[in-house]
Amino acid sequence: MSSATVPHTHHVSVWRRVQKQLGAAFNAVLNFFIDLMDYIMHPLQRLVGIRGMGYVFVLPNLLIFGVFILLPMITNFFYTFTGGANLFLDQRPYVGAQNLERLFDCQNFLAPNTCREDLFARAVTNTALFVITQVALMIGISLLTALVLNRKIIARGFFRSVYFYPVLLSPIVVGLIWKWILQENGLLNALLVAFGGDKVGFLTDANWARFWVVMISVWSLMGFYTLILLAGLQSIPSDLYEAADIDGANVFQSFRSITLPLLMPTMLVVLILSLIRAVQVFDVVFAFTGGGPGSATIYIVQYIYNNGFASATKEYGLASAASLVMAGSLIVLTLAQLRLRGTNNVT
Amino acid sequence: MTTQTAAGAGRTGVVGYLTRTKKRGRIGTADVLTYIYLLVGIVLMFGPVIWILMSSFKTPAEVTKFPPRFLPYQQETAVVEGYDEPLPLFDVTLEDGSVARLAQVRRVGLEAQMIDPASPEEIIRVNINARQPVEEVKFSLDNYTEGMESFNFWRYFLNSVVVTFVATILTLLVNSMAAFSLSKYEYRGRNAIFLIILSTLMVPLSVILVPAFLLITQIGWNNNLLGVIVPGAATPTGVFLLRQYMLTIPDELIDSARIDGASEWRIYLQIVLPLARPALAVLAIFSVMWRWNDFLWPKIVLTQNQVFTLQVGLEAFQGDLQVQWNLILAMTVLTLLPITFVFGILQKYITTGIATTGMK
């Protein structure tokens, strides 16, 4: 709440002076850096020409990007089709599609316990269920909150920040905070008992655990999507509503024919971002339930992590195969949504 | 579900309540509902953090108590002559019905041996049900000091600061250079490069964990903060955000600088970057958020305690079965303090920044 308090005049002048000094020092360092780099860049420019500098500027990004993202994407295929517990590629025997076959070796695809890798099947079904419920709930609650914040309210900036605060908390902290509240002797059970109920094993019952994983991730991220949706709402010109009002449209009608269509592009951004994020759910659950009880809250990334890093015998091939499946589904999901946007734009 | 509200002439239902603008000087049901929603929001968003803050001051006994209490209570003690340790104080209902404040020496079964601190010679035996602990609200920092004996807070904090700071500078530099190139130069392959970078929006680091780990191992960056900092520095979000913003900078500015003899490097640093400041600020906010809270990748790269970041350290701390909840609570609060502090100061800029520039 950075409301306009009037500070002591003396403090202002000291603060200004400090700011000035800092600014001057910062500029000096910056100028030194610019001059130093110009010493290298200037001859370079003479060598490659102005147009060639385009390549020079994009090069550092491409280097990091190529080495740490593109290259691993390719080597991931090598891991997928090789076996053994060795990390180094030249010591891994070729096994064909064995890893992928193992992941999908199921008698009945709807029953995880009939699968050879039943944990993977569970991780996939858990993730699918999580993604659907979490994204739906996230968009619903974020939209509702954005609509509330878009009304004429006092201290809108403050309330916007209130919902944003959990976004800044780390997933580990979020997981621990809620584990503490939902544990057997925690706050929520105390409230239940105080109102005459019985204790509930929120963390020991599989369905409750899944439910709370969804709730917690919505709690921790909704502020971000609310912010985006609110910005979308505020960019809708208000004279549209006035015109609709004059034409005798009621609020429901103007919501349906002005707010929703004009908010669609923003909604799509929110949908894509929240989907990509939901598919990758990991760290908050890792601290919250650790995948339990049993394998009730194990998700794909944790399956990859368990096989590639946590278990004593490293199954890099299996982990990479699961990564491949996940990357594939992410690409399909995103393309499907972009397609959706394409058809939307036509109408 | 649609109910006619008193103030709402023809405006009905949930949608009506949400989208209607307030009429001057009238407070309708809709406004009441709005503020109820917002107040519940405050409780839900801040409540859990305040609860864990309060819990972190509690003694181990108080932490495991059910039902829990909001404030951290601690039993009062008294130093009594002849006893080394301070003795816990109780209000005891004596046989004659009077209540006296006594100190407990020891408890034997259902009987407690108490003494009056004023006259410590005489031992009074009472039934344990006849005594009530004397409690006071005390914000004890014991959990913090004890927790920090094994949770190396300052070391983790320093590592997190180094990672966040260096990574953010690197991210801003590398991505703004790329964005400048992709928005202000014409060359072969430009669109292909942009498309390839964009397409990896869908392929985050967690999807390529194993091969990326191999790479780090071969470079020798295990347990090196560089291994955490560098791989995520070229982010498609950053390139996209900055490029879109730089497209709005008029080319004439750059052309006239060229005529004045400025080098491309100077044009980038002294003309384009200052103009792209709002977008850079948003990317900086994102980068700080990502890096400070990052967990999976640091956990894989860093396995030695002295290079842990705060998040990795906290997770390892809570995973240690020897560690009790009261200590975990205190260390969780320590971990969330820095970002809360920064947010408290900058919240206005963070939220308006993301809202106005971040998602164009």
Side-chain angles (χ1 to χ4, degrees), chain A residues 69 73 276 280 327 330-331, chain B residues 198-208 236:
Chain A
I69 295 176
M73 276 167 68
I276 292 179
Q280 298 181 68
L330 271 176
I331 288 168
Chain B
L198 258 198
S199 64
T200 52
L201 256 179
M202 298 171 255
V203 188
L205 197 67
S206 53
V207 167
I208 46 170

Side-chain angles (χ1 to χ4, degrees), chain B residues 120-134:
Chain B
E121 296 80 28
E122 180 198 0
I123 288 196
I124 308 159
R125 291 167 205 281
V126 294
N127 187 291
I128 56 164
N129 294 322
R131 76 211 212 300
Q132 275 300 318
V134 179

Side-chain angles (χ1 to χ4, degrees), chain A residues 231-260:
Chain A
L233 284 176
Q234 290 182 335
S235 70
I236 300 175
S238 59
D239 43 345
L240 284 181
Y241 291 108
E242 283 157 25
D245 211 27
I246 292 167
D247 288 349
N250 66 29
V251 169
F252 181 72
Q253 282 167 330
S254 52
F255 177 79
R256 226 186 50 181
S257 31
I258 299 174
T259 312
L260 267 190

Side-chain angles (χ1 to χ4, degrees), chain A residues 306-319:
Chain A
N306 284 353
N307 275 294
F309 301 96
S311 69
T313 50
K314 307 273 187 280
E315 294 262 21
Y316 293 119
L318 213 55

